[in-house]
Amino acid sequence: MANSSSVTEFLLLGFSSLGDLQLVLFVVFLCLYLIILSGNLIIISVIRLDCSLHTPMYFFLGVLSISEIFYTIVILPKMLINLLSVLRTLSFVSCATQMFFFLGFAVTNCLLLGVMGYDRYAAICQPLQYPILMSWRVCGQLAATCAVSGFLISLLGTTLVFSLPFCGSNKVNHYFCDISPVIRLACAESYINELVIFICGVLVLLVPLIFICISYGFIVHTILKIPSAEGKRKSFSTCASHLIVVIVHYGCASFVYLRPSAKYTSGKDRLVTVIYTIITPLLNPVVYSLRNKDVQLAIWKTIGKTGFSLKTL
């Protein structure tokens, strides 16, 4: 692909127009990045170490946390370097690679959130069949399907972007190689490519979202029939964390990707992209740890065991 293009590298403008504020942003984003890494690693470790969390719901939460870690690794380290660097270039191949992995993990996360919605539906609406519907084999197959589908869709999207010739400006008005700011730099007509990418975006975002909405329609209907207030509260609490993450993730992603790139506006898009590349991965461990008593208890149990071991040593 690189041989058909006179552009050999891209210049990421990112937050370069903010001047001295870049240093402040570096400190803020670095702190958030460390919280994202540590928070998701804690979630993964606690789920692995505590037997009481060895259930399908927490299995998918662990997979989501792993995906979120790599999702941020693809974007944030380079962004942090660029905030302190004068030279903000990225080679043609590196830009394509970054887009491929970013889209791959982003699509995987969307599909995983859909699967987590189905898991809640099966647990609440089909409790007697739940062990069969969400057996460990089925959970593994669903997680693998999400990952494979995510990266196949990403491969298609990335190929559609970088199969176009790039022979003019190489200035990407963003802090990473996202679809809209890059495809706008192409020298050829990109209508068909954009249309296919848009259709893929609709399928990836709207199909799981509609599926989640239908699942929660059945869930609410079932919960309302539970006679005890405590039973209703407990059922709703297991769904609330998932719903918060879904609303933020799908809301921001829909704003950026469910429209033609011709309507791309760098300022607003960068702000919204910061939310779903930084805030959403941060929201995942925070929401699930602060709102979920099972996770809180497992964290304290793990800390207690670790403290006891260190004391013994």
Side-chain angles (χ1 to χ4, degrees):
M1 288 189 293
N3 292 333
S4 65
S5 170
S6 60
V7 172
T8 57
E9 63 180 15
F10 292 97
L11 178 64
L12 301 176
L13 298 182
F15 302 102
S16 58
S17 61
L18 298 180
D20 293 338
L21 279 176
Q22 290 180 86
L23 184 58
V24 176
L25 287 177
F26 173 82
V27 174
V28 172
F29 289 153
L30 177 61
C31 291
L32 292 175
Y33 182 44
L34 294 175
I35 294 171
I36 289 168
L37 289 180
S38 58
N40 280 292
L41 285 172
I42 288 171
I43 292 288
I44 295 165
S45 302
V46 167
I47 290 172
R48 180 172 176 78
L49 294 173
D50 196 295
C51 295
S52 66
L53 299 183
H54 291 180
T55 63
M57 182 176 79
Y58 294 110
F59 168 76
F60 289 118
L61 176 57
V63 175
L64 182 63
S65 291
I66 293 171
S67 182
E68 295 281 24
I69 287 174
F70 286 105
Y71 173 74
T72 52
I73 285 175
V74 171
I75 302 298
L76 292 186
K78 180 62 178 174
M79 184 186 75
L80 291 170
I81 292 170
N82 287 346
L83 283 170
L84 295 181
S85 173
V86 177
L87 192 64
R88 300 180 174 91
T89 57
L90 200 61
S91 71
F92 190 92
V93 174
S94 297
C95 186
T97 303
Q98 186 185 59
M99 184 182 292
F100 169 72
F101 282 105
F102 169 74
L103 291 176
F105 288 115
V107 175
T108 298
N109 291 347
C110 285
L111 299 178
L112 279 172
L113 289 171
V115 170
M116 291 171 77
Y118 172 72
D119 171 70
R120 290 299 82 211
Y121 160 78
I124 294 171
C125 301
Q126 305 289 338
L128 297 179
Q129 296 180 348
Y130 183 68
I132 299 171
L133 292 174
M134 298 303 292
S135 66
W136 286 116
R137 182 180 178 182
V138 172
C139 289
Q141 289 173 342
L142 287 172
T145 301
C146 289
V148 172
S149 302
F151 280 94
L152 285 176
I153 293 170
S154 173
L155 180 62
L156 174 62
T158 306
T159 302
L160 286 169
V161 173
F162 287 94
S163 61
L164 295 167
F166 291 85
C167 52
S169 172
N170 68 337
K171 295 178 180 179
V172 178
N173 201 4
H174 213 335
Y175 59 87
F176 71 97
C177 288
D178 204 0
I179 292 174
S180 292
V182 172
I183 205 169
R184 284 166 61 87
L185 302 178
C187 302
E189 179 58 52
S190 60
Y191 173 76
I192 299 299
N193 302 57
E194 289 185 58
L195 180 62
V196 175
I197 291 170
F198 177 77
I199 292 171
C200 289
V202 170
L203 293 174
V204 166
L205 290 170
L206 291 189
V207 172
L209 184 58
I210 292 170
F211 183 76
I212 290 170
C213 291
I214 293 172
S215 297
Y216 273 100
F218 286 110
I219 288 170
V220 171
H221 181 261
T222 302
I223 290 175
L224 291 176
K225 292 193 293 186
I226 297 174
S228 68
E230 178 61 24
K232 289 180 181 178
R233 188 199 63 78
K234 189 173 182 181
S235 297
F236 273 122
S237 67
T238 61
C239 301
S241 302
H242 176 248
L243 276 176
I244 292 170
V245 176
V246 164
I247 291 168
V248 175
H249 186 93
Y250 279 92
C252 295
S254 298
F255 176 84
V256 175
Y257 294 109
L258 294 187
R259 57 185 176 146
S261 70
K263 294 185 178 180
Y264 168 78
T265 53
S266 60
K268 288 182 180 179
D269 278 43
R270 275 202 302 269
L271 178 61
V272 176
T273 308
V274 164
I275 294 175
Y276 75 77
T277 56
I278 299 177
I279 304 302
T280 304
L282 177 66
L283 196 67
N284 183 37
V286 170
V287 167
Y288 276 103
S289 59
L290 290 181
R291 293 188 56 88
N292 193 304
K293 290 184 178 180
D294 292 335
V295 174
Q296 291 176 18
L297 182 61
I299 290 172
W300 285 113
K301 280 167 63 179
T302 304
I303 292 171
K305 287 179 182 178
T306 306
F308 176 77
S309 300
L310 291 172
K311 209 169 182 182
T312 306
L313 291 171

